[in-house]
Amino acid sequence: MTSKQVMLMFSLLLLGGCAAKQPAGSDALVSPYQQGRIWAVAPLRNESGSLQADGLAMADRLQRQLENASNIDVLPVNRVLRAMELLEMSFVETPADAARLMQTLGCDGLIIGTITAYDPYDPPKLGLSIELFDGGRAAMLDELDVRQLTRAATGDQTHPYATGSSRTTAKNDGVASGVSAYFDAASADVRNKLQVYGSNRGGPDWHADGWHKYRISMDLYSEFVTYVMSWRLLHAEKQRLSRPMMTSPPQASPR
């Protein structure tokens, strides 16, 4: 691991994501909203260095996972693609792009992100960084380059729940919450959660070691990773919404 990667990992740990509660692999996705919201997922950028990584397929998996959360309807990714084509938009590059796309789709939230690591060979490795753009934060936005999203270190560290991070932002860049993590199936912690996740999704004829399919199939492994990332993003949103509203500092008493 390079010194730059070490510093990045240390910064992510300070960000506080490692202290956040993590799903056991069987926890349901729970919306933090009392009323219904409409979300959309844009194709993820592939910055993994692997030509096999598919940002469109990864967005589709995120969409299917988030659909399981109550009070959140997630638009089909094909509909997002059609809107992007209409707007002549290859990727969401700035808050202005996000605002235009959300207006065209009529949605309340837009998920953007990157694939930061991708290795489909056993044991598979996958790194993702995603952020939720909130339409309510669209006024007077600063420039946002999605290529500068918070990334997880992708060196020798293999513990995603240690190197992963989450954030809720006070900066007016339009991003409400974000999560980033690196998942290496060689990690015992990842394997344990993968086993729970895979075992809970077997049918009546599912045999005891059937969960191994989720390790040897990159498609199934990506399903597991997008489940964890979806859970963490919803948890980050819950934390953001539970924070007390900022109030103006008290005025000095007149003498």
Side-chain angles (χ1 to χ4, degrees):
M1 183 182 294
T2 66
S3 59
K4 184 177 181 180
Q5 287 175 322
V6 171
M7 291 300 296
L8 176 57
M9 184 181 71
F10 182 70
S11 298
L12 291 173
L13 291 174
L14 290 179
L15 202 54
C18 59
K21 180 183 175 183
Q22 300 297 339
S26 59
D27 299 346
L29 298 181
V30 179
S31 166
Y33 309 121
Q34 297 299 318
Q35 298 180 341
R37 299 287 182 95
I38 299 176
W39 282 8
V41 184
L44 275 63
R45 281 185 175 274
N46 177 22
E47 296 191 356
S48 67
S50 171
L51 297 178
Q52 300 181 60
D54 188 338
L56 179 57
M58 205 64 68
D60 194 55
R61 292 187 183 99
L62 281 168
Q63 184 268 333
R64 291 199 300 267
Q65 292 289 357
L66 290 165
E67 266 289 310
N68 294 318
S70 60
N71 291 334
I72 297 179
D73 291 323
V74 189
L75 300 177
V77 177
N78 284 342
R79 182 172 171 184
V80 179
L81 281 178
R82 288 196 295 270
M84 292 175 69
E85 291 174 358
L86 179 65
L87 296 171
E88 298 182 347
M89 186 185 300
S90 298
F91 287 98
V92 178
E93 302 279 3
T94 67
D97 289 343
R100 290 168 58 214
L101 183 56
M102 292 174 67
Q103 183 178 21
T104 301
L105 291 168
C107 62
D108 306 303
L110 177 68
I111 294 175
I112 57 178
T114 59
I115 302 173
T116 58
Y118 189 93
D119 183 354
Y121 302 106
D122 190 24
K125 303 170 182 63
L126 180 58
L128 295 181
S129 179
I130 59 175
E131 294 191 337
L132 173 65
F133 189 96
D134 183 1
R137 308 169 75 91
M140 299 179 64
L141 294 170
D142 299 327
E143 279 295 301
L144 168 69
D145 185 339
V146 298
R147 291 168 295 185
Q148 301 303 318
L149 293 176
T150 302
R151 291 173 170 79
T154 56
D156 296 332
Q157 274 288 351
T158 60
H159 195 307
Y161 305 102
T163 62
S165 70
S166 62
R167 82 178 181 99
T168 57
T169 180
K171 181 183 177 183
N172 191 23
D173 61 2
V175 176
S177 300
V179 293
S180 178
Y182 174 61
F183 299 80
D184 187 341
S187 162
D189 189 65
V190 173
R191 287 199 307 271
N192 291 339
K193 290 178 172 59
L194 183 62
Q195 181 174 359
V196 174
Y197 179 85
S199 298
N200 285 341
R201 282 153 182 80
D205 299 327
W206 191 258
H207 48 86
D209 61 349
W211 69 271
H212 281 289
K213 294 181 179 179
Y214 281 82
R215 172 169 171 163
I216 63 177
S217 167
M218 191 59 175
D219 286 341
L220 292 177
Y221 189 69
S222 298
E223 177 190 313
F224 159 73
V225 169
T226 53
Y227 155 76
V228 176
M229 294 296 287
S230 297
W231 193 97
R232 293 185 64 190
L233 183 65
L234 293 170
H235 184 69
E237 262 296 90
K238 179 180 178 181
Q239 289 184 313
R240 179 181 73 87
L241 296 172
S242 65
R243 291 204 312 263
M245 297 293 291
M246 296 293 293
T247 57
S248 301
Q251 300 293 324
S253 302
R255 293 182 179 180

